[in-house]
Amino acid sequence: MWPFTKRPKDPVLDPSYGDPHRKALIRALEKRKWKFARELLNMAADPDEMAFLMEAVGGVDGIQDWIGDWMDAEPESTLPVLVAGCHAVRWAWEARGGKRAKYTTAAQFKGFHERLRHAEALLQRVLAREPDNVTARAWLVTSSRGLGVGPAEARQRFEAVTRLHPGHLVAHEQRLQYLCAKWSGSHEEMFDFARGAATAAGPNSLLHELVAVAHIEKWDATEREEGNEYIVSDEVRAELLTAAEDSIFHPDYVPAGPGWAPRVATFAMAFELADEFDAAGHAFALLDGLVTEWPWQILGDPVEKFTASRDWVTTNRS
């Protein structure tokens, strides 16, 4: 058991995940202070931190309206082109909307694909000058899903990232999404990838979160009654606990560093769905009221669903 040691905080949706570096970047971009944003991005210590910051870039509205000023001011720099390309991938998903394909209009798909092609052109501009730019290659893994590129090319894009940075968390997550049945793969391909990546990662790695994502994706893709029966099965619960023990419940794990919060939240949600209330309670305690869009957006409003899930877990813990 992992009892709460203090009263849980009121849930707050925080796009910075409480990280001051990411918060400063978001504010700089919102105010179009690209020189400050440039300095903050250049401070990234490694590809994982750059990915963490670039995910924040994607969430800032309106960058496409002014990023050309930065590119014009610094034509020799690839950084503003990278920012524009990564942002355009998220901008493309905004055009598509969050519903499944059968509920997406032809106009939405048209805008989605146009923006993705724009994003790919920008990212390829970066790679033409910096072939080893890990972030540009990682975001091409995401765009490959939206454009429906073939399996061989999609795999090559992912492997181009992992040759440079084997444990790139965002690239692994996006590769898993490509392999989901709702996109270009199947449940079998998704689980093979998730389990293989977790095994290769070893203990105390957030890559074990991929196993939890895979179970959530299968639950979400299944008729609700059947999905609920699936995710509370002994086999699923055991695999979720093992994955957590090798990551967020590992003795050496510290809830800090780039992008920790949505990965802990993924376990919190998976455990709540699986009726593993003690484990879910521990994950919620690590979050301490911090709400992230993923994974709660799968269920609806993130703050509402986080709160309902946490309260249900608190009520049902032994």
Side-chain angles (χ1 to χ4, degrees), residues 2-318:
W2 303 278
F4 288 118
T5 58
K6 57 183 177 180
R7 182 183 180 277
K9 292 181 181 177
D10 292 335
V12 176
L13 182 61
D14 182 0
S16 75
Y17 308 161
D19 183 273
H21 191 170
R22 180 163 161 144
K23 185 174 184 177
L25 177 62
I26 292 169
R27 288 182 173 177
L29 292 169
E30 288 174 340
K31 295 180 179 181
R32 305 188 179 190
K33 294 183 177 180
W34 58 262
K35 291 182 180 179
F36 186 35
R38 176 192 61 201
E39 299 306 313
L40 291 166
L41 288 165
N42 283 333
M43 289 168 61
D46 56 37
D48 288 316
E49 186 173 4
M50 179 60 92
F52 171 66
L53 296 174
M54 208 58 75
E55 285 185 316
V57 167
V60 177
D61 292 336
I63 286 179
Q64 71 279 356
D65 296 332
W66 60 266
I67 192 66
D69 295 340
W70 183 1
M71 289 191 283
D72 290 343
E74 298 188 341
E76 300 304 314
S77 175
T78 59
L79 184 57
V81 185
L82 180 65
V83 168
C86 293
H87 180 269
V89 173
R90 173 70 175 265
W91 187 44
W93 251 269
E94 290 175 7
R96 184 191 185 280
K99 296 182 179 179
R100 293 188 181 272
K102 64 181 178 179
Y103 302 115
T104 305
T105 67
Q108 286 176 304
F109 273 122
K110 183 174 183 291
F112 180 46
H113 292 142
E114 286 176 350
R115 291 181 183 182
L116 279 179
R117 285 190 288 270
H118 172 62
E120 291 226 335
L122 291 164
L123 295 170
Q124 292 294 352
R125 279 177 58 187
V126 174
L127 292 175
R129 294 167 59 184
E130 296 181 9
D132 290 345
N133 190 299
V134 180
T135 304
R137 292 198 178 279
W139 260 250
L140 284 172
V141 175
T142 305
S143 60
S144 68
R145 171 162 53 100
L147 290 173
V149 306
E153 182 181 347
R155 183 176 62 255
Q156 289 169 2
R157 290 185 179 198
F158 171 70
E159 290 174 350
V161 179
T162 56
R163 277 196 298 270
L164 296 166
H165 190 64
H168 199 286
L169 183 56
V170 170
H172 277 81
E173 290 171 335
Q174 293 301 322
R175 176 63 177 158
L176 184 146
Q177 287 298 317
Y178 178 94
L179 294 171
C180 285
K182 66 184 179 184
W183 285 100
S184 299
S186 65
H187 292 326
E188 291 75 18
E189 291 174 285
M190 173 183 68
F191 275 109
D192 283 348
F193 174 75
R195 289 164 178 154
T199 299
N204 195 26
S205 169
L206 285 177
L207 283 174
H208 293 275
E209 170 242 10
L210 297 171
V211 173
V213 174
H215 283 301
I216 290 172
E217 290 290 352
K218 184 173 180 180
W219 168 82
D220 192 43
T222 308
E223 291 295 329
R224 190 55 71 231
E225 183 176 350
E226 182 183 349
N228 289 341
E229 291 178 0
Y230 159 79
I231 206 162
V232 299
S233 67
D234 291 341
E235 294 81 3
V236 172
R237 294 168 75 170
E239 188 168 31
L240 288 172
L241 285 167
T242 297
E245 287 163 1
D246 284 334
S247 55
I248 67 167
F249 294 168
H250 190 276
D252 295 331
Y253 177 72
V254 177
W260 69 273
R263 284 82 195 192
V264 172
T266 297
F267 277 110
M269 179 173 155
F271 282 132
E272 188 265 324
L273 292 172
D275 290 350
E276 281 289 345
F277 297 118
D278 274 354
H282 182 38
F284 277 112
L286 292 174
L287 291 167
D288 197 21
L290 176 59
V291 183
T292 56
E293 286 192 13
W294 171 268
W296 308 107
Q297 62 194 19
I298 295 173
L299 304 176
D301 177 81
V303 174
E304 290 181 5
K305 296 305 179 180
F306 173 98
T307 304
S309 180
R310 189 186 66 179
D311 291 350
W312 179 247
V313 166
T314 301
T315 299
N316 285 277
R317 291 184 73 185
S318 57

